[in-house]
Amino acid sequence: MEPDNQTWIHEFILLGLSDDWDTQVSLFVLFLVMYLVTVLGNFLILLLIRLDSRLHTPMYFFLTNLSIVDVSYATSTVPQLLVHFLAAHKAIPFLGCAAQLFFSLALGGIEFVLLAVMAYDRYVAVCDPLRYSAVMHLGLCTKLAITSWVSGSTNSLMQTAITFQLPMCTNRTIDHISCELLAVVRLACVDTSSNEVAIMVSSIILLMTPFCLVLLSYVQIISTILKIQTREGRKKAFHTCASHLSVVALCYGMAIFTYIQPHSSPSVLQEKLISLFYAILIPMLNPMIYSLRNKEVNGAWQKLLGRLPGLKTKLLMGWENQTRLREFTLLGLSSDRETQVSLFVLFLAMYLLTVMGNFLILLLILLDSRLHTPMYFFLSVLSLVDICYTNSTVPQMLVHFLSARKSISFPRCVLQLCVSVAMGSTEFFLLGAMAYDRYVAVCYPLHYMVIMHGGLCTGLAATCLVAGLMNSLVQTIIIFQLPLCRNVIDHFACEMLAVLRLACVDISFNKVMVALSGFVVIMLPCFLVLFSYAHIVAAILRIHSSQGRHKAFGTCAAHLTVVSMCFGTAISTYMRPVGSSFVQQEKMVALFYAIVTPMLNPLIYSLRNKDVIGALQRLLGGSSIIASPTSSSS
């Protein structure tokens, strides 16, 4: 009975802070300002630490990690809270709720452990200052930071898995601002004593254990400070710990008050306010505490402001030098004339087939009302993305096959890179959304149309497009800020890795950004696809009849084939080190993704899909019926 009861929950309703419209609008403005201050403040801390070499110390390495955690934690909760303030339907999908709970718990756990690590750093700085650099070397700092991230994520994964194994019955209303651990546990219609024990054990491990380490460190620090004879020396030693001590008091005080107290002690409203304080106020206050009460950060800020006039001059000079590269030369695939003509014919045929196939898919979906379902809505968006991606690259490549001068202007190169990365990123996110659609269709068939309503589908598609555009914009700006000393691109288009190779400076930061982008855009949707198909396969295996299993798998076969092509090609291209493959092989992989995959997508969805084949037959049959009166009248 538990799985049947669980299947009724496809989304949760968040009651939030208030149901009064005027109050919600006021809260929207307030929390929007606080969120923007949080993001801006933490990014300023990151910028100062990166730009000022005097801040390249263990203390500020950990502060960098803390700022990243704070921004990520606020982003996991506040944007959805802002949307719900202005939305009539304050719902969150089941998977979205699970993801939100996982990230909030993970990032909270990471912050607690990280604060203990920072306390140890302050202990070494005060109690053993002469050996500080030797003790807190880069290797140890990196291991401590990784330990914080791994421990927080592991605890969160266990808590999330345990919580969402509970039968929620038909109760789907969460009296909270987000999918918070205690609020979700309260939805269970069975005894939750084991979950309460798990929460208590988790709290002891991730709150009390680091808190004890913090206390131990500060006992040693205070003992050392009291041994300093001069008042000025004691004040200076204590000042190095003041910011960290303030943050510790905020974070541990709120967390212990929320989670360690008995289950029934706080009221629901009090619990909401405490969680809200921890979700947005603490991330907003942390950069203020570390800047207002820290002379080194203030000095770095003043130094940066003092360099602004010179920095402006340097940027203008750099842009002037950059604009000297008015165009790039693309080497393409081959310099042999006969080979280029053959490739022109081949790729022209493939391009026409791509455009025609995707437009035919769009036409069928538009004309046949039986294809007006969520699955085909996402397929129509996928076809539009494929057409845009192909048109951003292939027409110029065809022209270059037949021209002697294979150049592209600087603005067009920037535009081509931006559009191609945006469309590629959008496609990955879209395939993740389509995997969720297939998950609902197979695992919750009776509630499919209720769950995948028009508003949710439109929101998912818009989110995919915005996420792809944002990623592309960030990558394009970072890449074209580099000084490019050469103008010959060994590629058939302005591709990201190919343009990076033109830089005449260290591009290690750009490599990190490419890897991070690859993880976010490729691996996260890939994990969502794997998670969805794990549940789909489990649901299919529970079907008793072979005919039923075959039918259920048939609804996913086309999407699974497209996913294998897209993610396989992208991972092999971008997730390996930049110099790990030959340039020619890189061209072939990028070419396969630029034209072969968009060409095959409509073929896969038509040849392996009875609905599309039926719509095509009805369209052709309708055409013959329309044509017959004309012929008879003549």
Side-chain angles (χ1 to χ4, degrees), residues 68-89:
I68 293 172
V69 169
D70 283 338
V71 170
S72 302
Y73 186 88
T75 303
S76 71
T77 305
V78 179
Q80 172 213 267
L81 178 67
L82 294 174
V83 171
H84 283 187
F85 279 139
L86 303 181
H89 187 59

Side-chain angles (χ1 to χ4, degrees), residues 604-616:
I604 293 170
Y605 273 101
S606 59
L607 296 176
R608 304 188 62 170
N609 192 304
K610 292 181 179 179
D611 294 336
V612 175
I613 293 175
L616 181 60

Side-chain angles (χ1 to χ4, degrees), residues 229-251:
Q229 296 178 347
T230 64
R231 182 180 178 182
E232 188 66 28
R234 289 195 298 270
K235 183 178 178 181
K236 183 179 179 181
F238 180 76
H239 186 74
T240 62
C241 309
S243 298
H244 177 259
L245 196 56
S246 301
V247 173
V248 163
L250 280 172
C251 289

Side-chain angles (χ1 to χ4, degrees), residues 463-478:
T463 301
C464 295
L465 181 59
V466 170
L469 289 174
M470 291 297 293
N471 171 70
S472 173
L473 190 61
V474 170
Q475 290 292 334
T476 304
I477 290 174
I478 291 176

Side-chain angles (χ1 to χ4, degrees), residues 101 155-166 195:
L101 178 60
N155 169 73
S156 176
L157 186 62
M158 293 173 59
Q159 290 289 337
T160 305
I162 292 172
T163 300
F164 282 96
Q165 286 298 318
L166 292 171
N195 292 79

Side-chain angles (χ1 to χ4, degrees), residues 357-399:
N358 283 285
F359 269 121
L360 183 59
I361 290 288
L362 291 171
L363 181 65
L364 290 175
I365 294 173
L366 179 65
L367 295 179
D368 198 312
S369 60
R370 278 173 281 196
L371 300 183
H372 294 176
T373 63
M375 172 182 171
Y376 294 104
F377 168 76
F378 290 120
L379 179 57
S380 63
V381 178
L382 181 66
S383 293
L384 286 173
V385 169
D386 283 338
I387 290 172
C388 294
Y389 187 89
T390 301
N391 278 293
S392 71
T393 306
V394 178
Q396 170 211 268
M397 183 176 65
L398 294 174
V399 171

